[in-house]
């Protein structure tokens, strides 16, 4: 998540840098042995061993059920779980059986473990978190292994400032929201342990992964090397680069940019630790503003950027207006570069009040309940008060540089500009929906009302209709169109719009359907078209209706 960079092959440390202190290393022969030993150690095999209840508890960082389930179990999966996931001391002889090719000595040379001695009963402890990751995105699923730092449960104290975070809720959300269509070059800005680069590797020719933390780049290099063979092996090349924000790729262009940047709003106050994986070192939400306004500079024609971020809700200024101002700045910068209009779509997924936000990130740093807790809490609240912050939003920012010509949802020449709050729970990957909305926007940009009336549309297969009747009444008082996929939107439809959508089977042009409805409702066709065509545009943009071909 930290926004830094380096250049490497999957089997070397970042170009031009000394190895990060006490970080794991990449030795091709030892990594190959480890990969062979881990074969079969998947999320599924862990669940089979400990059961779904214990596995779900582990996802909530509750270890007691897994401790009980793995106690005295002889399987290698149990030993690997206790060593690398529960961070327990494991006898050397047990580690050697679980890693028969690599052994304790090989794991120590890679920087994965530390051994108390050479005897079979001497304790071996993990120095890193190494666990299976069941990846899910719009391109399907994959089984990988991810290397990161030990968490608070293992260390029993505050995290180190250069802590490298593993896979969490934010990183999985970003992976699920990213389009997975084939592309050439991908930039993973703030790669952390390298998980977004892995996701991108399945549909890109090359990936540049950057991070300000050399320790993170070392973790990412090992993660990449460890997954470099097998059915889910990366098909792309990787280039790991150190540096801040967009500096390592200045002057370059990418077809896709993904970023889980250090967006956490942390007080810039003495005594408040700055964690590289989450803190960008700037006041408030400035780092997210800089990314939003600057990311367009590295987008190739047709390129898309998908980024996570926090933004402040300040007293007297609607958050949509504030974040919308960032989009204005990004659009002006794109025009000045001669890149043309820049499409922008911001979806806010969550809002926390200042106290909730402070509590969450104090706990995340491993200092909750410690002697520093009250002072940290006060520092956060003081920081928010200085800028009149009433809440903090979290969500996804999507930018796109159109491939050619202007783009617009409401008519030719108007770029997509959407800033909205969508809180519905999301289960399925959204990447294809994001790509489809951008495609629909481009189609609407070149489709005026006359062309829309001539178009044949179909109702998307995930759309359903709900009719609500008052008791005893024959006609519905409310008709709702529901989207099963995407953001699960619901649209209230009047009689005419509901009738039009119901008739969109790809056979008749929209104009013909409007004419038939006008006759049925005994209203002028022109007036009805003026009423429903803007709504039809909205339904096409959101994926309720799609062009028939």
């Amino acid at each position: 998540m930290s926004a830094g960079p380096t250049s490497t092959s999957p089997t070397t440390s970042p170009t031009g840098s000394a190895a990060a202190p006490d970080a794991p290393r990449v030795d091709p022969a030892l990594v190959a042995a480890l990969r062979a030993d881990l074969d079969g150690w998947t999320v599924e095999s862990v669940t089979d061993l400990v059961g779904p209840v214990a596995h779900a508890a582990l996802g909530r960082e509750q270890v007691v059920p897994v401790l009980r389930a793995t106690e005295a179990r002889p399987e290698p999966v149990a030993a690997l779980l206790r060593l690398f996931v529960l961070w327990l001391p494991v006898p050397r002889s047990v580690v050697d059986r679980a890693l028969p090719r690599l052994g304790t000595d090989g794991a120590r040379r890679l920087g994965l473990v530390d051994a108390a001695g050479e005897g079979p009963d001497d304790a071996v402890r993990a120095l890193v978190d190494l666990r299976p990751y069941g990846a899910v995105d719009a391109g399907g699923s994959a089984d990988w292994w991810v290397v990161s730092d030990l968490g608070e449960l293992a260390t029993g104290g505050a995290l180190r400032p250069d802590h490298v975070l593993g896979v969490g809720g934010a990183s999985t959300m970003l992976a699920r929201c990213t389009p997975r269509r084939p592309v050439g070059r991908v930039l993973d800005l703030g790669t952390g342990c390298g998980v977004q680069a892995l996701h991108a590797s399945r549909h890109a020719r090359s990936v540049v992964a950057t991070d300000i933390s050399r320790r993170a780049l070392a973790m990412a290099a090992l993660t990449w090397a460890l997954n470099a063979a097998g059915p889910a092996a990366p098909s792309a090349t990787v280039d790991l680069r150190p540096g801040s924000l967009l500096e390592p790729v200045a002057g370059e262009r990418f077809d896709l940019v993904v970023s889980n940047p250090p967006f956490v709003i942390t007080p810039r106050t003495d005594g408040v630790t700055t964690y590289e994986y989450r803190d960008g070192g700037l006041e408030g939400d400035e780092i997210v503003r800089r990314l939003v306004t600057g990311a367009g500079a590295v987008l190739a024609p047709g390129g898309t950027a998908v980024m996570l971020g926090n933004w402040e809700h300040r007293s007297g200024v609607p958050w949509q207006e504030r974040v919308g101002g960032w989009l204005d700045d990004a659009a002006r910068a794109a025009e000045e570069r001669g890149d043309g209009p820049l499409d922008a779509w911001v979806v806010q997924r969550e809002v926390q009040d200042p106290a909730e936000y402070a509590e969450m990130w104090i706990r995340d740093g491993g200092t909750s309940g410690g002697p520093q807790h009250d002072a940290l809490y006060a520092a956060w609240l003081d920081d928010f008060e200085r800028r009149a912050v009433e809440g903090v939003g979290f969500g996804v920012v999507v930018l796109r540089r159109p491939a050619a010509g202007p783009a617009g949802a409401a008519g030719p020449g108007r770029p997509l500009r959407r800033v909205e709050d969508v809180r519905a729970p999301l289960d399925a990957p959204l990447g294809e929906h994001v790509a489809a909305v951008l495609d629909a926007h481009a189609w609407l940009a070149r489709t005026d009302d006359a062309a829309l009336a001539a178009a044949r549309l179909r109702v998307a297969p995930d759309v359903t209709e709900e009719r609500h009747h008052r008791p005893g009444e024959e006609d519905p008082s409310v008709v709702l169109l529901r989207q099963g996929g995407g953001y699960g939107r619901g649209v209230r439809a009047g009689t005419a719009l509901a009738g039009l959508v119901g008739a969109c089977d790809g056979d008749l042009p929209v104009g013909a359907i409007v004419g038939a409805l006008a006759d049925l409702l005994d209203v002028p066709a022109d007036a009805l078209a003026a009423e429903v065509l803007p709504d039809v545009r909205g339904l096409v943009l959101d994926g309720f209706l799609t062009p028939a071909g």
Side-chain angles (χ1 to χ4, degrees):
M1 179 170 161
S2 45
T6 317
S7 212
T8 99
S9 73
T11 55
T12 63
S13 61
T15 296
S17 70
D22 68 358
R25 295 168 289 282
V26 174
D27 178 296
L30 295 177
V31 169
L34 175 60
R35 186 189 306 122
D37 287 340
L38 297 181
D39 186 35
W41 191 38
T42 64
V43 172
E44 182 179 4
S45 70
V46 170
T47 305
D48 288 344
L49 178 76
V50 304
V53 172
H55 188 260
L58 185 61
R60 301 188 299 270
E61 296 190 343
Q62 299 298 317
V63 300
V64 172
V66 180
L67 284 170
R68 292 163 60 91
T70 57
E71 192 172 10
R73 294 292 295 266
E75 297 92 333
V77 171
L80 295 172
L81 263 177
R82 294 176 73 85
L83 178 65
F84 287 119
V85 178
L86 301 181
W87 312 303
L88 296 172
V90 176
R92 183 185 182 104
S93 59
V94 174
V95 175
D96 287 340
R97 285 196 299 271
L99 300 173
R101 299 167 184 82
L102 182 68
T104 300
D105 287 338
R108 185 162 50 185
R109 290 200 298 274
L110 284 176
L112 305 180
V113 304
D114 186 26
E118 303 299 323
D121 295 327
D122 288 328
V124 176
R125 288 185 177 272
L127 298 177
V128 300
D129 183 302
L130 169 58
R131 66 179 68 197
Y133 169 47
V136 178
D137 60 29
S141 59
D143 288 313
W144 290 317
W145 302 286
V146 175
V147 183
S148 62
D149 264 327
L150 301 175
E152 173 195 354
L153 292 177
T155 62
L159 303 179
R160 53 191 290 169
D162 60 353
H163 177 81
V164 179
L165 192 68
V167 178
S171 56
T172 56
M173 179 178 175
L174 177 59
R176 287 170 174 264
C177 289
T178 301
R180 298 299 171 189
R181 296 177 179 178
V183 292
R185 301 189 77 212
V186 174
L187 169 63
D188 174 15
L189 191 154
T191 191
C193 65
V195 66
Q196 302 303 327
L198 278 179
H199 279 275
S201 72
R202 297 194 297 167
H203 62 103
R205 288 196 303 272
S206 64
V207 179
V208 175
T210 71
D211 207 290
I212 200 168
S213 166
R214 293 191 181 277
R215 183 174 179 80
L217 292 167
M219 298 282 190
L222 182 54
T223 293
W224 188 277
L226 193 53
N227 293 283
S235 59
T237 59
V238 65
D239 180 7
L240 300 174
R241 303 181 190 177
S244 178
L245 298 179
L246 295 166
E247 293 173 0
V249 294
E252 299 181 48
R253 299 281 183 157
F254 297 88
D255 303 298
L256 175 66
V257 175
V258 294
S259 182
N260 181 14
F263 56 70
V264 176
I265 299 169
T266 302
R268 306 266 67 84
T269 305
D270 290 343
V272 179
T273 302
T274 297
Y275 295 102
E276 287 181 338
Y277 76 91
R278 73 181 202 189
D279 301 319
L282 302 176
E283 185 176 76
D285 51 20
E286 175 63 13
I287 193 165
V288 178
R289 187 198 69 81
R290 291 190 186 184
L291 278 176
V292 171
T293 57
V298 298
L299 289 179
T304 301
V306 184
M307 304 175 289
L308 301 183
N310 275 165
W311 37 81
E312 295 181 338
H313 291 211
R314 296 183 181 176
S315 178
V317 183
W319 77 270
Q320 297 93 334
E321 180 180 317
R322 197 163 169 274
V323 175
W326 301 350
L327 305 183
D328 291 340
D329 292 342
R332 280 193 291 270
E335 293 286 358
E336 291 171 0
R337 289 191 302 270
D339 290 346
L342 188 70
D343 295 329
W345 180 16
V346 178
V347 179
Q348 181 171 266
R349 299 288 300 140
E350 182 182 357
V351 179
Q352 291 183 312
D353 65 44
E356 289 177 307
Y357 192 83
E359 291 160 12
M360 179 177 70
W361 292 111
I362 292 170
R363 184 171 58 249
D364 178 81
T367 52
S368 181
Q372 300 178 350
H373 178 269
D374 290 352
L376 288 172
Y377 208 149
W380 245 284
L381 297 183
D382 288 344
D383 185 57
F384 285 139
E385 285 179 7
R386 278 193 293 271
R387 293 187 301 278
V389 175
E390 299 177 333
V392 179
F394 167 77
V396 184
V397 179
V398 179
L399 304 174
R400 184 189 60 175
R401 179 183 174 188
R414 298 181 61 181
L416 177 65
R417 169 71 174 279
R418 196 170 193 180
V419 182
E420 59 182 339
D421 190 289
V422 183
R423 309 285 185 93
L426 304 175
D427 296 322
L430 278 170
E432 183 53 36
H433 175 71
V434 170
V437 168
L438 296 176
D439 288 347
H441 165 68
W443 184 82
L444 289 164
R446 57 181 183 268
T447 305
D448 60 16
D449 282 352
L452 182 60
R456 290 172 168 80
L457 302 177
R458 294 185 188 276
V459 181
D462 66 326
V463 174
T464 57
E465 181 183 275
E466 299 177 8
R467 291 178 175 260
H468 298 262
H469 297 254
R470 294 186 62 82
E473 291 185 356
E474 181 178 350
D475 295 327
S477 56
V478 177
V479 177
L480 288 176
L481 302 175
R482 291 284 188 190
Q483 187 178 50
Y487 279 108
R489 299 178 189 272
V491 174
R492 186 166 179 166
T495 301
L497 184 61
L500 186 150
V501 171
C504 283
D505 59 4
D507 290 336
L508 291 176
V510 170
I513 298 174
V514 170
L517 287 170
D519 290 341
L520 183 65
L521 299 172
D522 194 22
V523 297
D526 289 348
L528 186 61
E531 175 189 335
V532 300
L533 286 186
D535 292 329
V536 170
R537 286 186 176 275
L539 293 175
V540 171
L541 182 63
D542 287 331
F544 287 78
L545 297 173
T546 60

